[in-house]
Amino acid sequence: VPASSASQSSAMFRRFCVSGVGPLSSAEHAVVHELAESRGQLLIEDGITDVKSEAGYTACAAFLNSIDTASRALDLQVAPRGYRAKFSANYRALFPDNNRHYRVDVLEASVDQHFAIWVNGEKFELSAEAVEHAQGLQGAWHDVVMMLDRWQAAAAAAAAQGADHKPDRPELIRTLVAFDVAWSKFEHSYISELIAIEEQARQVVINAVRVESQVQDSELEPMAATSAEAERELVRCIAKLNSVANFKRKGRDDLAYDILESARVVLRQVQQDGGHGKEAARILAGDIMDSYKAMRTYFRKVGTCLEHVDPHLCNN
């Protein structure tokens, strides 16, 4: 970690821990006890928290909510989350303000040691910085869990022996603050990189929307050479989109402009001679033109709300 970054993190940590002096109030003690009880519901095996099963996910969501509740009760300052202002609309809906908003899926991403994201058959790797922050969050998560385990063990010992050696208020605050700082760092890098990956994944649709608009403009002068070229480019975009969005079903990207032009020729001939003996050709040509028109309509519609296009294009 660069010296300047480490210094800033240290200053941030000290600033957030200034309220750590003094014993826990009875209300704070009760909230921390509830937090420790919530930790007891986590499903952990070989040091790994289960967030994939329904029971594990539910327990983790409840625990994260308890961490937020305890942090509020202890009047802990929230680590800066101004970076969320630069999130895309979809992610701003998930993180609407600068409060903690701990989410299981973010924690789950930090647990994944492969740090590879597959979108439309293409592999994307998280940056070294994001990986480092993921490891930092996992370390902070472990510290919270271990501290609460000691709290529970001390509570049991106190009940049996009368001596209370639970973690004190300063330790609780240091641990929860460190967790929140680590969380905000990973959330910032992870979500920012997800947004960039999703933008890249949507690029096929974005290009198609742009080219379709060019085709609309060229149709004002249908005899111009640019009209045919713009339409050729749109057909190439459609073929590319078909290949990318249907990668598991072996979508084709070799659908040529000649197919579209041949369909138009068939339909013109049918109009001229009545289509006698060409019923099958007429139906096939009609299906091709209907599909082409439907794709153009889709591009016009989606062009007004590109941020809502699922980056996993097969889901649209």
Side-chain angles (χ1 to χ4, degrees), residues 236-248:
R236 284 194 287 268
C237 288
I238 293 174
K240 177 65 174 177
L241 180 58
N242 181 55
S243 174
V244 171
N246 295 283
F247 72 95
K248 287 186 178 180

Side-chain angles (χ1 to χ4, degrees), residues 150-166:
R150 287 191 291 108
W151 175 283
Q152 289 289 67
Q161 305 171 8
D164 191 346
H165 299 292
K166 299 187 190 77

Side-chain angles (χ1 to χ4, degrees), residues 41-101:
Q41 300 303 310
L42 290 177
L43 304 181
I44 300 178
E45 185 175 351
D46 296 329
I48 304 298
T49 304
D50 172 20
V51 293
K52 297 186 181 298
S53 70
E54 182 177 355
Y57 186 99
T58 300
C60 187
F63 181 57
L64 288 172
N65 184 65
S66 294
I67 292 178
D68 185 37
T69 299
S71 298
R72 291 173 182 271
L74 292 168
D75 196 26
L76 303 186
Q77 187 173 344
V78 179
R81 284 167 167 81
Y83 54 79
R84 289 176 177 169
K86 296 182 180 180
F87 283 179
S88 63
N90 291 342
Y91 285 102
R92 288 201 303 274
L94 297 178
F95 304 99
D97 51 44
N98 289 336
N99 289 318
R100 292 180 181 87
H101 295 294

Side-chain angles (χ1 to χ4, degrees), residues 54-278:
E54 182 177 355
Y57 186 99
T58 300
C60 187
F63 181 57
L64 288 172
N65 184 65
S66 294
I67 292 178
D68 185 37
T69 299
S71 298
R72 291 173 182 271
L74 292 168
D75 196 26
L76 303 186
Q77 187 173 344
V78 179
R81 284 167 167 81
Y83 54 79
R84 289 176 177 169
K86 296 182 180 180
F87 283 179
S88 63
N90 291 342
Y91 285 102
R92 288 201 303 274
L94 297 178
F95 304 99
D97 51 44
N98 289 336
N99 289 318
R100 292 180 181 87
H101 295 294
Y102 295 138
R103 295 179 55 88
V104 178
D105 46 8
V106 174
L107 180 69
E108 181 179 2
S110 76
V111 176
D112 186 357
Q113 295 301 305
H114 298 294
F115 301 113
I117 300 172
W118 288 88
V119 184
N120 303 325
E122 185 174 356
K123 183 180 180 181
F124 297 88
E125 297 277 359
L126 293 181
S127 69
E129 179 184 31
V131 172
E132 180 182 344
H133 290 325
Q135 294 167 345
L137 176 55
Q138 279 302 296
W141 171 265
H142 177 268
D143 290 344
V144 171
V145 169
M146 291 298 100
M147 177 189 69
L148 294 173
D149 284 349
R150 287 191 291 108
W151 175 283
Q152 289 289 67
Q161 305 171 8
D164 191 346
H165 299 292
K166 299 187 190 77
D168 59 13
R169 193 173 196 275
E171 181 182 355
L172 285 163
I173 287 178
R174 285 195 306 271
T175 305
L176 293 178
V177 165
F179 175 75
D180 189 49
V181 170
W183 184 288
S184 67
K185 287 181 178 180
F186 177 64
E187 179 191 284
H188 183 190
S189 57
Y190 175 63
I191 300 298
S192 296
E193 291 185 25
L194 271 189
I195 291 170
I197 290 171
E198 292 174 0
E199 181 69 15
Q200 185 174 341
R202 292 189 186 99
Q203 201 60 47
V204 177
V205 176
I206 294 172
N207 288 340
V209 168
R210 174 182 55 79
V211 174
E212 199 286 324
S213 179
Q214 293 174 352
V215 171
Q216 289 186 60
D217 294 340
S218 70
E219 287 173 338
L220 300 175
E221 300 181 56
M223 300 307 294
T226 54
S227 177
E229 183 52 40
E231 196 163 56
R232 285 180 185 275
E233 180 61 23
L234 180 58
V235 171
R236 284 194 287 268
C237 288
I238 293 174
K240 177 65 174 177
L241 180 58
N242 181 55
S243 174
V244 171
N246 295 283
F247 72 95
K248 287 186 178 180
R249 295 178 291 279
K250 298 182 179 180
R252 299 178 58 178
D253 63 357
D254 60 348
L255 303 177
Y257 174 75
D258 294 345
I259 296 175
L260 181 66
E261 192 56 35
S262 295
R264 285 179 172 143
V265 170
V266 169
L267 292 177
R268 282 197 296 266
Q269 289 175 345
V270 168
Q271 288 179 340
Q272 291 171 3
D273 59 24
H276 300 297
K278 298 180 179 179

